[in-house]
Amino acid sequence: MALREPGVFTVDIDAGELKGAATRYRKTLGDLASLYEDDAAFARLLAERGPDAVMYEVTDHKPSADPGDIIIGVTRMAPGKVGREYFLTRGHIHAKADRPEMYYGESGTGLMLLESPDGEVRIVEMRPRVVCYVPPFWIHRSVNVGSDDLVMTFAYPADSGQDYDIIARSGGMRRRIVDDGAGGWTAIDNAAWRPRPAAEVDALYGQAA
Ligand code: S6P
Ligand code: ZN
């Protein structure tokens, strides 16, 4: 049997990347329209920084998409806010929804915002050396609530895939993470959020069979 060779990479905390990893993508301000509550604040930031401003960047090693294999990588997120809302990733549920993930805090302070298909919410505070286990079936989004880059290492099953549309279909995630007025953060209800139809929830959980 032809085995794969071991992979060796370096987590470059200052650069916020996995050195030696072959794949990389960036999400710019222009890519993230409609994720934030305050359209006017988003338009102002867009005018100020331009659509190509890098909001977050992922470097990863994807050896294959085989069941049982893993993808490992590093996410670096810039700090900042759109209006009162802290910078966030698009967020997703895994396309194979029963696939989990782990995140490890390297630098900066942030949150892992989690939402179950039936609308339960959990928030995990991330800082260096904190490991977050994202269980199967949880929608997950990272939020940078600090004033520096948030850098996290992650690993997840190689056949997971990502479904981004689940968040748009419900009018966003149920909670938004905003400035509490004292330099910290607080979670508020997203007024546009709609519960997922029972058939959609059942179809997701049906994937566990
Ligand atoms: C993939 C994993 C991370 C995110 C990355 C960017 O399952 O959770 O690699 O892709 O943190 O977030 P997003 O929501 O834009 O994929
Ligand atoms: Zn994921």
Side-chain angles (χ1 to χ4, degrees):
M1 180 176 170
L3 300 182
R4 282 191 191 95
E5 290 299 317
V8 186
F9 309 95
T10 306
V11 177
D12 183 332
I13 296 178
D14 293 332
E17 61 183 49
L18 190 65
K19 281 266 182 318
T23 47
R24 170 193 303 269
Y25 69 85
R26 296 191 165 104
K27 287 291 154 194
T28 65
L29 195 55
D31 295 326
L32 304 182
S34 83
L35 293 186
Y36 292 92
E37 64 169 356
D38 187 339
D39 290 337
F42 186 84
R44 279 197 301 276
L45 194 64
L46 199 60
E48 215 175 272
R49 296 198 186 179
D52 297 331
V54 176
M55 302 296 278
Y56 61 94
E57 178 172 32
V58 174
T59 41
D60 58 8
H61 175 60
K62 291 189 169 83
S64 75
D66 297 346
D69 208 343
I70 62 169
I71 292 170
I72 56 181
V74 169
T75 303
R76 180 187 64 81
M77 298 179 70
K81 286 177 286 186
V82 174
R84 61 176 180 166
E85 190 172 8
Y86 286 103
F87 284 177
L88 42 74
T89 57
R90 293 168 294 174
H92 56 265
I93 193 168
H94 289 152
K96 287 191 195 300
D98 64 350
R99 299 304 195 258
E101 183 156 352
M102 80 77 138
Y103 280 85
Y104 176 77
E106 304 282 3
S107 71
T109 50
L111 305 175
M112 192 59 60
L113 176 61
L114 300 125
E115 181 176 315
S116 71
D118 39 19
E120 294 271 320
V121 175
R122 304 282 186 273
I123 296 172
V124 175
E125 295 191 80
M126 299 299 298
R127 57 180 185 280
R129 303 183 70 82
V130 168
V131 177
C132 177
Y133 163 64
V134 176
F137 300 106
W138 287 81
I139 297 163
H140 45 286
R141 159 178 283 168
S142 311
V143 184
N144 188 347
V145 297
S147 42
D148 299 311
D149 278 356
L150 173 64
V151 179
M152 295 183 290
T153 294
F154 59 79
Y156 62 99
D159 64 346
S160 302
Q162 287 85 19
D163 172 7
Y164 291 98
D165 195 48
I166 190 170
I167 293 177
R169 282 200 303 275
S170 62
M173 288 186 76
R174 188 169 191 170
R175 299 268 196 276
R176 291 189 180 279
I177 307 299
V178 300
D179 193 328
D180 66 357
W185 62 271
T186 187
I188 59 165
D189 281 337
N190 166 16
W193 184 82
R194 301 177 293 274
R196 288 171 195 88
E200 184 179 351
V201 175
D202 289 350
L204 286 166
Y205 290 147
Q207 294 186 18

